Amino acid sequence: SSTTTMTTSTSAHPHQLFYPLYIVPGIAVYKGTVNDPTTFPPPSRVHVSYHWAFERLLSAGLVPLTVAAFVTSPSTYPVLDGILGVSLVMHSHIGFDSWIVDYLHPRKFPVLGPTATWALRTATVATLVGVYQFNTNDIGLTELIAKVWTA
Amino acid sequence: MMSTKVLGLGPSLRKPAFAPRLVRNQVVARNLVVKRSVQTQSLPSTAAVEILDKQRLRRPSSPHFTIYQPQLTWLGSIANRATGGALSALLYGFSIAYLVAPGTFDSTHVIEFVAGLPDVVKYAGKALLAAPFTFHAFNGLRHLSWDLGKFLSLKAAYATGYVVIGASAVSTVALTLYGN
């Protein structure tokens, strides 16, 4: 009997299906050969240390902002409500971005990673518009939470 | 030779040396025996990377996430991420829902809906909202203290972790009972 093989055939792992290249569990498909070094992002203060500092300052600032917003009556200080809303959305955006960087990095997921990044940006813009509309045309986030809590 | 005896090569070296060589017969016999022939196909050298990638896709990865011992350190960390994600998803979801359908999601409708729920559901709902919020807030403070260089030893990480859990539990109870 003759067999046509180029390499020795490996038996597939019992739980392994053939995953498409854009969703591969646990394996990276490398650009170039195994002898090519990995790529690094270009050094950038904005994307690294300034981003880190901004993230921590924002998180720290959310504490007095939340306390102030809920202690004072929201109808008397709508600007405070607005600042809290924007800060919360920015904090959430940075948090979701860290999910993408950790689980869907573009280096490993060349299609899904950038798609998720842009989907997040779209959702954040929509959320900001929604928060603005709610704070302007309606009672605002802090008052909604206060009223729902005591409903 | 002494070395062949020591290495155990004696018998194998002895046989061909003293057996009559029937070279022609052996060659004929070899050709009569049916052997498996492997057909090769010619591929360019660039195909090597492709084959390697395909092989890599079929390799399983060892269990890691499923077998790591549960510890306060990483459980607290993933809980911080999960609570933050859940609360943010709620914020994003509500804001986008209000943008898309302001008639259904405006404050009067929401407050009406919540007011009409049975008390048990109200308490449960408040606890379900307060618990992630308080945990995320207190654990966030723990994270910020690490960023200032404090509490970075293992003992301190565990101590602060327990403080965070305790504070979250107390404030969740307080928040759930508030406003009734």
Side-chain angles (χ1 to χ4, degrees), chain A residues 1-14:
Chain A
S1 62
S2 70
T3 50
T4 308
T5 48
M6 184 61 186
T7 54
T8 54
S9 63
T10 53
S11 58
H13 188 266

Side-chain angles (χ1 to χ4, degrees), chain A residues 1-3 10 13 16 24 27 29-30 34 52 56 92 96 98 102-103 124 127 129 131 138 149 151, chain B residues 36-37 39 41 53 56-60 81 88 92 94-95 98-99 106-107 111 122 126 147 175 178:
Chain A
S1 62
S2 70
T3 50
T10 53
H13 188 266
Q16 197 93 8
V24 178
I27 297 171
V29 174
Y30 303 100
V34 290
W52 188 93
R56 312 299 137 148
S92 304
F96 280 136
S98 68
D102 283 348
Y103 305 134
T124 301
T127 306
V129 175
V131 166
D138 214 316
W149 213 260
Chain B
R36 255 187 324 157
S37 63
Q39 287 177 351
Q41 51 174 152
D53 284 343
R56 283 196 173 123
L57 285 174
R58 300 177 69 145
R59 289 179 197 162
R81 177 166 272 194
S88 298
Y92 273 46
F94 175 74
S95 306
Y98 180 78
L99 192 63
D106 67 340
S107 56
I111 296 168
K122 277 193 215 168
K126 283 199 231 178
D147 292 328
L175 278 174
Y178 172 82

Side-chain angles (χ1 to χ4, degrees), chain A:
Chain A
S1 62
S2 70
T3 50
T4 308
T5 48
M6 184 61 186
T7 54
T8 54
S9 63
T10 53
S11 58
H13 188 266
H15 305 296
Q16 197 93 8
L17 309 167
F18 181 76
Y19 289 94
L21 270 174
Y22 54 86
I23 297 178
V24 178
I27 297 171
V29 174
Y30 303 100
K31 282 198 176 80
T33 67
V34 290
N35 293 319
D36 294 332
T38 186
T39 53
F40 288 93
S44 155
R45 274 205 206 105
V46 169
H47 287 104
V48 185
S49 63
Y50 290 174
H51 178 272
W52 188 93
F54 176 74
E55 187 184 345
R56 312 299 137 148
L57 284 173
L58 182 65
S59 310
L62 273 173
V63 178
L65 207 53
T66 312
V67 170
F70 278 99
V71 160
T72 62
S73 163
S75 39
T76 47
Y77 299 106
V79 178
L80 184 64
D81 208 13
I83 295 175
L84 176 67
V86 170
S87 306
L88 271 175
V89 175
M90 281 201 290
H91 183 74
S92 304
H93 179 88
I94 293 176
F96 280 136
D97 194 52
S98 68
W99 283 69
I100 297 175
V101 165
D102 283 348
Y103 305 134
L104 292 175
H105 198 277
R107 195 177 49 216
K108 188 167 160 181
F109 297 96
V111 173
L112 201 56
T115 310
T117 309
W118 282 103
L120 174 65
R121 288 175 183 162
T122 316
T124 301
V125 169
T127 306
L128 279 170
V129 175
V131 166
Y132 172 78
Q133 294 283 359
F134 191 77
N135 280 13
T136 315
N137 302 337
D138 214 316
I139 53 176
L141 284 172
T142 37
E143 190 146 343
L144 176 72
I145 293 173
K147 287 221 159 82
V148 165
W149 213 260
T150 54

Side-chain angles (χ1 to χ4, degrees), chain B:
Chain B
M1 277 201 299
M2 285 297 283
S3 58
T4 52
K5 192 168 177 195
V6 163
L7 291 170
L9 291 172
S12 55
L13 279 180
R14 228 174 281 132
K15 210 165 161 211
F18 294 116
R21 286 209 174 273
L22 304 169
V23 181
R24 202 170 52 98
N25 282 3
Q26 283 174 342
V27 169
V28 165
R30 224 178 279 136
N31 279 339
L32 282 177
V33 167
V34 174
K35 62 179 176 187
R36 255 187 324 157
S37 63
V38 175
Q39 287 177 351
T40 57
Q41 51 174 152
S42 178
L43 290 175
S45 59
T46 47
V49 178
E50 215 182 280
I51 293 168
L52 180 61
D53 284 343
K54 282 212 190 89
Q55 290 273 307
R56 283 196 173 123
L57 285 174
R58 300 177 69 145
R59 289 179 197 162
S61 63
S62 344
H64 45 289
F65 175 60
T66 42
I67 58 167
Y68 206 110
Q69 181 194 48
Q71 291 166 334
L72 186 78
T73 45
W74 69 266
L75 282 178
S77 178
I78 195 66
N80 192 44
R81 177 166 272 194
T83 50
L87 292 165
S88 298
L90 195 64
L91 174 67
Y92 273 46
F94 175 74
S95 306
I96 293 175
Y98 180 78
L99 192 63
V100 166
T104 347
F105 290 98
D106 67 340
S107 56
T108 38
H109 283 96
V110 173
I111 296 168
E112 252 178 64
F113 172 76
V114 172
L117 293 168
D119 275 350
V120 179
V121 179
K122 277 193 215 168
Y123 275 111
K126 283 199 231 178
L128 230 60
L129 279 173
F133 177 74
T134 51
F135 178 80
H136 189 83
F138 287 118
N139 205 26
L141 290 175
R142 184 166 165 240
H143 253 92
L144 288 171
S145 66
W146 287 333
D147 292 328
L148 290 169
K150 311 240 180 309
F151 308 125
L152 283 169
S153 68
L154 186 64
K155 255 183 144 183
Y158 267 82
T160 48
Y162 287 125
V163 166
V164 161
I165 293 173
S168 310
V170 168
S171 49
T172 302
V173 170
L175 278 174
T176 310
L177 296 175
Y178 172 82
N180 289 324

